[in-house]
Amino acid sequence: MEPSLYRIRLCKEELYRARKAAGLRSDYALARAIGVNRSTVTRILAGDLQPGAAFIAGVVAVFARFDRYFEVVRGETEVVVPGIGSGRPPQGDVEEVGRARRIA
């Protein structure tokens, strides 16, 4: 499979401003409003996870704009493996984490 030429980048500062204006004071409140898990919001805002379809759709549904909160950029999708360079211990299957280390 060829890498994608484009990816979607979250405009974090814009989302923080909209979240504050909407009175959503925590990752949990934002997650409930857009219909995803709190951990998904936390990981995306920390840069550990790329925004997926559910996150993007939820933000657009709640805040009614795509172009303010996301931008389409040229380049390969970055793959982030928890526990490798993130300062957090690996989670999940040990063999799976080992394979990720060998690839990275």
Side-chain angles (χ1 to χ4, degrees):
M1 179 182 229
E2 291 185 35
S4 174
L5 291 177
Y6 301 96
R7 65 185 181 98
I8 295 176
R9 180 185 304 159
L10 173 65
C11 301
K12 292 179 191 176
E13 292 304 317
E14 288 295 328
L15 184 59
Y16 283 128
R17 281 193 276 276
R19 173 176 138 170
K20 184 177 179 181
L24 304 172
R25 296 182 178 168
S26 66
D27 289 352
Y28 178 73
L30 176 61
R32 284 191 56 162
I34 66 173
V36 298
N37 292 324
R38 183 213 40 88
S39 63
T40 299
V41 170
T42 301
R43 291 174 63 204
I44 289 172
L45 293 177
D48 293 338
L49 183 68
Q50 292 294 314
F55 182 90
I56 294 167
V59 168
V60 172
V62 170
F63 299 110
R65 295 281 302 267
F66 176 87
D67 61 331
R68 179 173 286 168
Y69 307 108
F70 302 98
E71 61 183 342
V72 178
V73 295
R74 189 170 176 87
E76 293 183 23
T77 303
E78 298 171 347
V79 176
V80 177
V81 179
I84 300 176
S86 67
R88 291 194 308 258
Q91 296 178 349
D93 182 76
V94 174
E95 286 183 32
E96 191 172 275
V97 172
R99 276 194 304 278
R101 282 196 177 125
R102 285 191 295 278
I103 293 169

